[in-house]
Each structure stands twice: as structure tokens, then as C-alpha cells.
Amino acid sequence: MRRVPAPVAGVIAAIGGAVTGLVLLIGVLSITSATTEQHMLSVASAIVVLPVGLIVLAASVYVARRGYHTVRPPLYEEPPEDGNP
């Protein structure tokens, strides 16, 4: 696979991480609103959003890192023919 230039790989990774975070956060908020009584919704949102937001942030960063290293793998130089490193 060809290496992508660093700025392009960074943009691809950032988009992937942002989309992952958005999808996870929408899912969590949807589940929270569906399983919480109306008068307790603001309290549940306040209690759920901070810890889940941190988990979503960690997942987004992980996906972005994996995406970056997938489209821009590290360079490995071929060892010399004589076998010495």
C-alpha cells in the first residue's frame, strides 16, 4: 500500500475519529432519552454525558490513531544484503 502524505492522513484520521465520536454520542443520548422519564431527563443527561463523553473521546482518538497508521504506515528500510543491520 502506498503511503499517503501526512496532512492528508491527518485529515482522514480526524474525519474518521469525528464520525465515530458523533455516532457513539448520538447513540448514547438516544438510549438515555428513551429510557429516562421526562422530568428526570436533564439530570440523567448531566450524569451520563460527562463519563460517556470521555469514553467517546477515547474511542474517537483510538480510531483516529488507527486510521492514521493505516493510511500512513511507518517506513521500514530493507536490511542490507550482507545481513548486518
Side-chain angles (χ1 to χ4, degrees), residues 1-2 5 20-21 27 29 32 35 38 41 54 58-59 63-64 66 71 74 82 84:
M1 179 177 174
R2 247 177 14 106
T20 300
L29 292 176
T32 301
T35 59
Q38 189 65 30
L41 196 55
L54 294 174
V63 168
R66 294 295 298 166
V71 296
D82 60 3
N84 293 327

Side-chain angles (χ1 to χ4, degrees), residues 8 10 14-15 22 25 27-28 32-33 35 39-40 42 48 51 53 57 60 66 69-71 74 79 82:
V8 175
I15 290 171
L22 185 64
L25 195 58
V28 166
T32 301
S33 67
T35 59
H39 68 281
M40 294 296 291
S42 63
V48 169
L57 178 65
S60 299
R66 294 295 298 166
H69 290 296
T70 299
V71 296
D82 60 3

Side-chain angles (χ1 to χ4, degrees), residues 2-37:
R2 247 177 14 106
R3 285 184 58 158
V4 176
V8 175
V11 168
I12 292 170
I15 290 171
V19 168
T20 300
L22 185 64
V23 168
L24 289 174
L25 195 58
I26 288 172
V28 166
L29 292 176
S30 175
I31 289 171
T32 301
S33 67
T35 59
T36 305
E37 295 179 18

Side-chain angles (χ1 to χ4, degrees), residues 41-67:
L41 196 55
S42 63
V43 175
S45 293
I47 292 171
V48 169
V49 168
L50 180 62
V52 170
L54 294 174
I55 293 168
V56 166
L57 178 65
S60 299
V61 169
Y62 175 77
V63 168
R65 284 186 62 223
R66 294 295 298 166

